Amino acid sequence: MGKKVTLADVAARAGCSPTMVSYVLRNGESGKSAPATRKRIYAAVKELGYRVDYAARALRYGDSRMIGVLLPRIGGYVYELLTALDKSIHQAGYMPLCSFFDTGPDFRKSCAEAMEKMLSMNVAAIISSTRGIVAPTATPVIIWGNKMEDRDCVYPDKAGYGQEVIERVWNLGHRKIGMTGLLDDVRYVPMVEFLQKQNAFSSEFMFKSPGVQERGSAVLEYFMALPEMPSVIICHSDELAMGVIRAAHLKGIDVPEKLSVVGFDNLRAGAMMLPSLATYDQNFELMAQKLTEVTLNRIKNPELSFQQLAIPVEFIPGESLSIYSS
């Protein structure tokens, strides 16, 4: 068995002090070290095979140098955010500790249990999408996805999206506009208000549904059973939108000739569909960067006022949305 590589070994190879090596490995790209110094240190770490001793680091700094990430156990957009967060947290000199909770009827219990296990690992902070069910804890909890007045949070500008998407489909000539998803979400407020001002709102054109692909068939069947189908369906997520498009294909309904579909998330799979999915980009890379920044700000400045950042969303053209023609 070879000799264990130490911080001093890395420092000697990189031509700097052990203190500088420790600083760079602790703070990563977010630190104030010179790029050339970081490059030499990272090269020495790779050449010597140095590994950070997180147990020793936890004793030295009073925390595990880990940031917990607690998200629902579903695919799609969660995967996109998680991969971006993994990169961003590592660059900040921390390790992500990921856990997931079920999204069924017992999701509150599943979430609470996952959070307790994460807290027992002495994480420095937790990034979570749990909204109002976060239990009181001294460990900072940063919310992703929704605005909360009493928490640090980073979220897509859903209200801005709601206004943009309803105006977009209206300007394309659509008047029978279906909406499906978690209808208590803030994104639906500007949609409803816009249609009410146009005297075009009908509650029957709103169908509550989880944003998962498996519900696409149920969504389409609901709208098909109405006296008149909508000409466009605005879906809560790309996964739900892709499920609707698949169900339409199976029913012989041409998309977008007979039915336009719009998603939300900009998942890679949406661009591969036939037709390609028109959607909105949450910008997961920027979201992850801002989540990491807000989390580090809270760790380093516990008395800081609550930080609330809205990330703009951007329309991504796709073949599933077209001008309405009767």
Side-chain angles (χ1 to χ4, degrees):
M1 183 181 296
K3 176 188 173 186
K4 181 179 179 180
V5 179
T6 67
L7 208 65
D9 296 328
V10 175
R13 182 63 59 91
C16 59
S17 69
T19 301
M20 176 57 71
V21 173
S22 178
Y23 176 84
V24 168
L25 296 182
R26 189 168 70 252
N27 294 281
E29 303 297 327
S30 66
K32 297 181 180 180
S33 57
T37 301
R38 290 198 299 270
K39 184 177 181 179
R40 293 200 312 273
I41 290 173
Y42 292 146
V45 166
K46 182 177 181 180
E47 184 178 346
L48 297 175
Y50 175 76
R51 289 181 175 83
V52 176
D53 188 335
Y54 283 95
R57 178 177 279 189
L59 291 174
R60 184 179 306 128
Y61 296 106
D63 67 59
S64 62
R65 301 298 294 178
M66 291 191 294
I67 292 175
V69 180
L70 181 58
L71 298 171
R73 189 176 284 118
I74 55 179
Y77 67 90
V78 169
Y79 171 79
E80 297 287 347
L81 177 68
L82 190 58
T83 53
L85 267 176
D86 179 74
K87 177 182 177 181
S88 181
I89 290 173
H90 271 106
Q91 288 177 340
Y94 281 74
M95 281 283 291
L97 176 64
C98 303
S99 188
F100 302 90
F101 59 91
D102 294 325
T103 56
D106 294 331
F107 81 97
R108 291 178 179 272
K109 179 182 178 182
S110 176
C111 177
E113 290 175 349
M115 181 165 285
E116 282 302 314
K117 291 178 181 178
M118 192 167 283
L119 290 170
S120 70
M121 299 297 291
N122 193 31
V123 293
I126 295 175
I127 296 171
S128 178
S129 61
T130 48
R131 302 182 67 177
I133 61 174
V134 177
T137 174
T139 302
V141 178
I142 288 75
I143 300 299
W144 162 68
N146 293 281
K147 183 177 181 179
M148 293 185 68
E149 298 296 337
D150 60 344
R151 295 274 180 181
D152 295 317
C153 51
V154 180
Y155 53 95
D157 182 9
K158 296 179 182 178
Y161 150 75
Q163 187 67 41
E164 206 281 342
V165 68
I166 198 68
E167 290 182 1
R168 181 175 293 276
V169 298
W170 184 269
N171 291 337
L172 287 173
H174 296 278
R175 298 296 181 264
K176 299 291 185 180
I177 301 172
M179 293 169 275
T180 182
L182 305 178
L183 300 180
D184 59 345
D185 190 89
V186 67
R187 73 184 72 187
Y188 295 103
V189 174
M191 297 187 204
V192 171
E193 290 178 347
F194 178 91
L195 292 175
Q196 287 174 336
K197 289 179 181 178
Q198 304 294 335
N199 294 318
F201 174 72
S202 173
S203 60
E204 70 178 2
F205 278 92
M206 298 185 72
F207 180 68
K208 186 175 182 179
S209 172
V212 295
Q213 192 165 343
E214 294 83 353
R215 292 291 294 170
S217 179
V219 169
L220 187 65
E221 288 177 5
Y222 169 81
F223 285 117
M224 287 181 66
L226 297 177
E228 186 177 5
M229 267 191 68
S231 62
V232 60
I233 300 177
I234 300 172
C235 298
H236 198 90
S237 68
D238 278 4
E239 289 213 352
L240 184 57
M242 289 188 283
V244 171
I245 291 175
R246 180 179 185 278
H249 287 331
L250 294 176
K251 295 287 186 179
I253 299 173
D254 290 331
V255 178
E257 288 80 7
K258 296 297 182 182
L259 176 67
S260 286
V261 180
V262 185
F264 182 85
D265 286 329
N266 192 27
L267 301 185
R268 300 169 201 177
M272 299 296 106
M273 293 198 69
L274 291 174
S276 60
L277 181 62
T279 185
Y280 283 79
D281 188 5
Q282 290 197 51
N283 198 335
F284 290 109
E285 289 287 341
L286 179 60
M287 188 82 66
Q289 292 173 16
K290 294 303 180 183
L291 276 167
T292 303
E293 288 177 12
V294 167
T295 301
L296 294 180
N297 286 341
R298 177 57 58 199
I299 292 171
K300 297 173 182 178
N301 304 285
E303 304 303 319
L304 194 68
S305 299
F306 288 122
Q307 309 158 89
Q308 280 126 13
L309 296 180
I311 306 298
V313 298
E314 177 186 1
F315 177 66
I316 306 298
E319 298 161 345
S320 67
L321 174 63
S322 69
I323 297 172
Y324 174 72
S325 59
S326 58

